[in-house]
Structures are given as structure tokens and as C-alpha cells.
Amino acid sequence: MPENSVSADLQTGSDKMVEWTDFERDTIKDIFSRIEYDVVGPAALARCLVVYPWTQRYFGGFGNLYNAAAIKGNPMVSKHGTTIMHGLDRAVKNLDDIENTYTELSVLHSEKLHVDPDNFKLLADCVTIVVAAQLGKEFTGEVQAAFQKFLAVVVSSLGRQYH
Amino acid sequence: MTTLTAKDKQTVKAFWAKVSGKSEDIGADAVARMLVVYPQTKIYFSHWPDQSPNSPAARKHGITVMMGVGDAVTKIDDLKEGLKELSQLHAFTLRVDPGNFKILSHNILVVMAVMFPTDFTPEVHVSLDKFLAAVSLALAEKYR
């Protein structure tokens, strides 16, 4: 587990709802309404594959991932990055029930894709970095806190169906 | 994971040369974010009269931390030896749980993305991430 991955660990029991403040709801919805999914998604996934190269293990069928330039220019990486953003969008639209929204996705990642759930945190960190670069100074500490909390809930929900 | 290649060192030094002019702002923002996003880190600063993220004490601390990071860049070829005294300080006086080094490192990376979006490429990100991990390890060297 790389030393600097720190998306917060959230323990949400199935009987405990995540509570969102108005600021958090507004911030999360605002961010997702402003970012371009087909820019942020590809950039975040490409960054993850470069910064944490072992994550390339899940993309054996994607062709050339030989170096950073190849990864950034790889159309399958771009397409998948966009897909991931649309997946996050489902959570944004179901903030009060992310866990159930992601039940099937969690099963998919566990049973079919066999993704180590630690890797979700790595991708989440890369999404944070890319969004921070997009929003610049508007990505204040408070906005960062709300965004990271959202991603932590997503990460936790995606790992929920693993056994 | 903490072996820095020649390319990592070159990348870190080149990026640091670009950004070190803003080192004080980087440090202040990183510490401020840490206090807001990871409020448990405030326990280390209970002696500050004002624990708010933009207080003079927080800014000063950010400056101190980034001076340490800048110093570490000059000692990149032997961080364990170069950061020996800082490690003793963190181990015996400050006793900061090393888990917090990861947290502050993460926030430094976020600030780099905010302030230098074009320069903070994935290639720079990976080398800087490795460097900060190596610094964290060197800081924890004397703990036990």
C-alpha cells in the first residue's frame, strides 16, 4: 500500500446512513456540474496508471501502456476514464443511498474484475488531484474536505460486497 | 517503494527549482488543508492560541515544513543521514504519529495540483510522491 494514499477510511455499517451537510451536498453537485467528465475521467485514470503502475494489472487488454505518453494517448484508457466518471455521477444523484446504488458495481469489481479494493483509494486520490488542478483556488480546504468525504463513501461502498 | 531513481531525483530537483519561489504559500496552504480536511491533526497544535487554518501560527508552521522539504531536496542522495536531526526531533520531542506524514504529503500534492496544474504532470506526481514517501521514512527513522 503506497505510503501517501490517504482517502479517508469510512466505516459505514449498513444501518448507518451517511449524513451530508447542505454545504457538502451543494459542493459535490457543483463540482460535478462544472467538470468535464471526458476530461477529468481520462486524466485521472491515466494519472493513476502512471503514479501507481501496478494498477495496470487490470488493463491487460488495453494495449500500449508502456510509458506515460502512451498511457495518456491510449483511447481505451480515455474511454474507461469517462465511464468511471459516469459511475461517480450515479453516486452524486443518489447521495443518500450510495451503498445500495453501488451494490452491483461492488459485486462486479469483486467477482468479475477482481480489483483489490485498496486500489479504489488510489484512483480516488488521483481524481482529487485532477479536480484540484481543474478548479484551482476554488478547490479550497472546505471543498476538498467535502469532495474527499464523497469519494471515501464511494470507495467504501465499492468495497462493501467483497468477501 | 522508496528507492529514488536518477530520473526521480532529476524530476524532483527540476520541479522544485520551478516552484520553490512559492514555497511559503505552498506550505501554508498544505498545512491549512490538513487542519480542515483531517481535523484529527489539530491535536498536535493544541498549544496554539488560534488553531484556525489561516492563523499566523498555522502559516508559520507551513513555512517551516516547506523549508524542511526544500532542505530535503538538497539532501536527496542520502535522506536518512541528511534528515537525522529532524528525525530525532520528530521521534523524541514532537512524537508525531508517522501516519500523519502521509496526510501532509497528500496535501502538499493537492496544493501542487492547485498552484501548478500544467507543471504537475503525472510523471512529476509519481516522482514527488516517491520523494515525499522517502522523506517521511527518513523522518520516522529514529522512532524506534
Side-chain angles (χ1 to χ4, degrees):
Chain A
M1 178 66 179
E3 289 87 344
N4 293 340
S5 175
V6 286
S7 296
D9 250 313
L10 254 193
Q11 273 126 25
T12 49
S14 53
D15 55 352
K16 228 186 338 175
M17 284 258 293
V18 180
E19 282 170 30
W20 304 98
T21 63
D22 288 343
F23 173 80
E24 285 165 349
R25 278 179 204 278
D26 291 344
T27 297
I28 292 159
K29 287 182 197 287
D30 181 58
I31 290 174
F32 277 85
S33 74
R34 292 169 58 184
I35 57 176
E36 291 168 69
Y37 288 9
D38 59 5
V39 170
V40 170
L45 181 57
R47 190 169 284 257
C48 187
L49 296 171
V50 170
V51 178
Y52 310 108
W54 54 94
T55 58
Q56 291 171 28
R57 74 188 306 281
Y58 304 111
F59 302 100
F62 275 32
N64 187 1
L65 299 178
Y66 187 61
N67 54 36
I71 289 168
K72 280 186 256 191
N74 185 310
M76 290 181 79
V77 170
S78 296
K79 181 160 180 276
H80 195 63
T82 306
T83 300
I84 289 170
M85 292 311 289
H86 287 288
L88 289 180
D89 187 71
R90 290 175 57 194
V92 176
K93 296 191 154 67
N94 292 282
L95 278 180
D96 292 311
D97 198 13
I98 294 178
E99 208 171 280
N100 285 324
T101 302
Y102 276 176
T103 303
E104 279 159 29
L105 268 176
S106 180
V107 170
L108 173 77
H109 282 77
S110 162
E111 304 295 304
K112 183 155 177 255
L113 305 176
H114 307 297
V115 178
D116 182 338
D118 277 355
N119 292 173
F120 300 146
K121 294 184 202 179
L122 304 183
L123 181 57
D125 279 351
C126 288
V127 173
T128 298
I129 295 280
V130 170
V131 168
Q134 291 272 300
L135 300 184
K137 290 245 174 315
E138 291 178 42
F139 196 68
T140 62
E142 288 80 3
V143 168
Q144 181 184 343
F147 192 65
Q148 289 194 201
K149 178 177 167 179
F150 168 74
L151 290 176
V153 174
V154 164
V155 164
S156 169
S157 301
L158 271 178
R160 197 97 180 84
Q161 304 303 326
Y162 279 64
H163 56 85
Chain B
M1 275 238 249
T2 49
T3 304
L4 300 173
T5 63
K7 180 153 181 273
D8 287 325
K9 294 182 190 180
Q10 190 183 29
T11 302
V12 167
K13 287 187 202 176
F15 184 68
W16 185 251
K18 269 189 209 169
V19 311
S20 57
K22 297 257 183 217
S23 142
E24 295 193 349
D25 289 338
I26 295 169
D29 196 7
V31 165
R33 283 173 192 277
M34 182 183 77
L35 296 171
V36 169
V37 182
Y38 303 90
Q40 70 273 19
T41 58
K42 288 193 289 191
I43 58 127
Y44 290 102
F45 308 107
S46 50
H47 56 284
W48 289 349
D50 180 0
Q51 285 182 42
S52 63
N54 298 305
S55 67
R59 183 174 174 84
K60 181 162 176 274
H61 192 61
I63 293 171
T64 303
V65 165
M66 271 339 255
M67 273 176 57
V69 171
D71 186 48
V73 174
T74 69
K75 296 171 174 167
I76 203 167
D77 290 316
D78 191 353
L79 288 169
K80 200 165 94 166
E81 180 60 31
L83 299 182
K84 208 167 52 174
E85 273 134 25
L86 267 179
S87 183
Q88 275 164 355
L89 173 74
H90 284 75
F92 302 119
T93 311
L94 304 176
R95 286 178 289 198
V96 174
D97 189 298
N100 294 290
F101 300 150
K102 291 187 226 177
I103 290 176
L104 186 52
S105 297
H106 169 75
N107 286 298
I108 290 172
L109 296 176
V110 170
V111 172
M112 295 304 187
V114 166
M115 291 178 64
F116 308 100
T118 3
D119 291 309
F120 191 59
T121 61
E123 296 92 316
V124 168
H125 179 164
V126 62
S127 294
L128 192 59
D129 191 33
K130 286 176 72 177
F131 170 69
L132 292 173
V135 168
S136 301
L137 209 63
L139 277 179
E141 182 67 24
K142 299 283 177 208
Y143 271 55
R144 55 177 176 172

